[in-house]
Amino acid sequence: MSDSRTPAQIEADIVRRRGQLAETLDEIGVRVHPKTIVGDAKARVASRVDQTAGRAFVVVNRTVSGVRAQFVGADGGPRLERVVPVVLVAIGVVGLLAVSTKRRRG
């Protein structure tokens, strides 16, 4: 196998390859630098937190919308047939708690 390149071409090729090797080593140095690793880890955690918060927002929003639909009609007014029983139950629970607290103190 004979190399038909001139000494100048071989030298230019060596200089070019050294430059590429230096770039590769610099890139590896940046990738393995502790600050880079920490920054990448922070970015991954922040991304997951954002995703989790986004999912939680969607779930809460759907739940609130579903509950609201149970108590508010299409016209925006309260659905009394559903609101009144819930209010009565809430008043009953508060009353029982008040009586229970009075008995413990008294």
Side-chain angles (χ1 to χ4, degrees), residues 42-60:
K42 284 181 181 179
R44 283 193 301 274
V45 168
S47 173
R48 293 206 180 167
V49 167
D50 287 347
Q51 289 174 354
T52 302
R55 286 188 196 123
F57 176 78
V58 169
V59 168
V60 169

Side-chain angles (χ1 to χ4, degrees), residues 57-71:
F57 176 78
V58 169
V59 168
V60 169
N61 194 20
R62 283 184 188 159
T63 303
V64 168
S65 295
V67 170
R68 185 174 186 274
Q70 296 295 316
F71 296 103

